[in-house]
Amino acid sequence: MHDAGASARDLEQENESLSARMAYLLEQAERNHEIMCRHHAFDLELVGAGSFPELIGTIFRSLPLIADLEIVTLSLVDEGGDIHSVMDKLGVDFEDFPQLVFVPAESELGFVPARNEQFTGPPKPLLGPYHPAAHRAMFPRLGAGLHSIALVPLLRNKRLIGSLNLGSADPARFTPAMGTDFIEHMASIIAICLENVISNEMLKYIGLTDALTGVYNRRYMDARLLEEIARAQRQAYRLSCLYIDIDHFKQVNDSVGHQGGDDVLREVACRIKAELRLSDALGRFGGEEFVVLLIDADLQAATQVAQRIRASVAGSAFSLACGAQLQVSVSIGVAALDDFERDHAIEGVAQQLVAHADSALYRAKENGRNRVVSFD
């Protein structure tokens, strides 16, 4: 009887142990399923991002939450600064993304032997303790409190385009012995999405800019004008337009050739832009004509800007690539959006504003060129 009782107790304990083990495994399975669901939703959110700010905003906002991390940063290879420049021109405010770092070369990411003895071999994830001297550049806004990090290469067609940098306050979170399949899979999706969205933004920029001068094209300016008029109506501020034409441009082409004419167009665009604020917009309307939108500027302020532009262009000779020195001047017509026009349909107001500036430009040409005329 004693042996039978002991066997029953043993069996009962074994059942309790198995039940506890089963409950633990079920809890772990449910937790893993929840984690997988969160990461799946994150993947879908990444794939659905339609712009560069939306994509990186999703990464910085969602990934620390679903992965329980103190910080997530991105280091992107940007040789020549083209990505940063284009995103800036498309209106990305980098102050909103302090976790985004641009580096001029792959070697800055730390995955190549040339940077540090710790970082050798092919670009594979690097997991281990946080070392300020080696890793501060990847985590520029947060170093205190980090104890373990994972630097995950972003690869596209075997080309290193950046690094996904994960930081944790838990010293055991990232260790060299850990498997990296999961974070590599996540990084591959992020890399694909980054490449696609950057390519799309580049194409968007190309479609909205003049290839020769680098300023906006007419398509962009037409759309921007409608946006600014609508905003001016809502916020009750002034909007002015400058219509600028290079004087005797046919003679420029005849004297220095079309290559020289291209040099003149680029330099005129550069000198105009130097007199504008970041909020203003400059576009080439075609040929030798440029249009400027001055935000929150009345007719008097716009006329003063136009006079500065005229003086800048005429003030010093243009040095052309062929070695020639050329004096160039511009004529400028100025018009402003008045209170009466605010009550009308936006499309009609836009056409009228540009037409008024063009009319003033025509008078400037008639009156001898190299001058500014305001529409009254």
Side-chain angles (χ1 to χ4, degrees):
M1 292 293 292
H2 177 75
D3 290 342
S7 296
R9 284 195 300 274
D10 290 343
L11 186 59
E12 185 178 348
Q13 290 175 351
E14 187 176 348
N15 285 338
E16 289 177 356
S17 177
L18 287 172
S19 296
R21 178 66 176 166
M22 182 64 72
Y24 172 77
L25 291 174
L26 285 172
E27 182 184 343
Q28 287 296 103
E30 288 176 2
R31 182 172 177 272
N32 290 338
H33 178 69
E34 182 185 346
I35 292 171
M36 290 302 296
C37 286
R38 290 204 305 264
H39 279 278
H40 180 62
F42 175 64
D43 291 347
L44 292 177
E45 197 175 0
L46 290 177
V47 172
S51 68
F52 183 76
E54 187 180 349
L55 176 62
I56 59 176
T58 296
I59 294 169
F60 296 146
R61 181 184 65 255
S62 300
L63 189 51
L65 293 176
I66 65 172
D68 191 23
L69 296 166
E70 268 60 52
I71 188 170
V72 172
T73 72
L74 273 177
S75 302
L76 295 181
V77 178
D78 189 18
E79 296 179 12
D82 291 340
I83 298 174
H84 186 283
S85 176
V86 167
M87 298 307 164
D88 181 61
K89 289 178 180 176
L90 288 175
V92 176
D93 187 351
F94 290 104
E95 290 187 3
D96 292 339
F97 306 108
Q99 311 96 316
L100 178 63
V101 180
F102 290 96
V103 298
E106 292 181 9
S107 58
E108 295 292 315
L109 296 175
F111 293 110
V112 295
R115 180 172 171 81
N116 192 304
E117 291 181 1
Q118 287 180 297
F119 302 146
T120 58
K124 298 292 288 182
L126 301 166
L127 281 64
Y130 172 75
H131 297 297
H135 305 135
R136 187 178 290 115
M138 290 80 167
F139 302 95
R141 298 295 179 96
L142 180 63
L146 286 186
H147 289 98
S148 67
I149 54 104
L151 309 181
V152 193
L154 299 173
L155 298 164
R156 289 299 295 138
N157 300 317
K158 298 182 179 179
R159 181 172 58 90
L160 189 60
I161 67 168
S163 172
L164 175 67
N165 311 311
L166 314 176
S168 174
D170 180 1
R173 179 63 187 276
F174 299 113
T175 64
M178 279 181 60
T180 59
D181 288 350
F182 185 76
I183 57 175
E184 285 187 80
H185 169 76
M186 181 173 61
S188 69
I189 294 174
I190 289 175
I192 291 169
C193 293
L194 274 170
E195 186 179 61
N196 287 342
V197 81
I198 289 172
S199 295
N200 289 337
E201 298 281 40
M202 291 291 191
L203 289 174
K204 184 194 300 181
Y205 174 73
I206 291 170
L208 298 176
T209 55
D210 173 55
L212 177 64
T213 61
V215 302
Y216 294 117
N217 59 20
R218 181 160 191 165
R219 175 186 169 194
Y220 172 87
M221 293 297 287
D222 285 342
R224 176 73 179 272
L225 183 55
L226 297 178
E227 292 175 7
E228 293 299 343
I229 289 175
R231 192 175 291 116
Q233 288 178 336
R234 291 194 308 270
Q235 301 180 10
Y237 64 72
R238 294 287 184 175
L239 181 68
S240 295
C241 175
L242 312 183
Y243 210 124
I244 305 170
D245 185 85
I246 301 175
D247 297 327
H248 303 298
F249 189 67
K250 184 179 183 304
Q251 294 179 16
V252 172
N253 280 330
D254 290 344
S255 63
V256 295
H258 288 285
Q259 183 63 52
D262 289 349
D263 291 342
V264 168
L265 286 166
R266 280 189 287 263
E267 180 62 19
V268 166
C270 184
R271 295 192 188 190
I272 294 172
K273 197 168 185 179
E275 301 299 331
L276 304 180
R277 301 162 299 176
L278 289 176
S279 59
D280 301 325
L282 166 63
R284 184 183 175 200
F285 256 40
E288 64 273 24
E289 295 178 336
F290 296 87
V291 165
V292 172
L293 295 181
L294 296 174
I295 313 304
D296 197 15
D298 60 16
L299 189 64
Q300 181 180 358
T303 301
Q304 292 173 350
V305 174
Q307 288 288 9
R308 292 204 308 268
I309 292 171
R310 185 205 61 76
S312 174
V313 172
S316 58
F318 286 37
S319 299
L320 308 184
C322 64
Q325 296 281 313
L326 197 66
Q327 286 296 144
V328 178
S329 67
V330 294
S331 299
I332 306 176
V334 186
L337 185 68
D338 63 29
D339 293 328
F340 172 77
E341 290 167 326
R342 294 175 190 275
D343 300 328
H344 291 64
I346 291 174
E347 290 78 5
V349 173
Q351 293 174 1
Q352 189 177 55
L353 180 62
V354 175
H356 285 173
D358 190 24
S359 174
L361 169 64
Y362 181 77
R363 283 167 45 208
K365 291 284 189 181
E366 276 193 324
N367 292 341
R369 295 181 170 84
N370 189 23
R371 64 189 63 234
V372 173
V373 172
S374 301
F375 182 86
D376 186 357

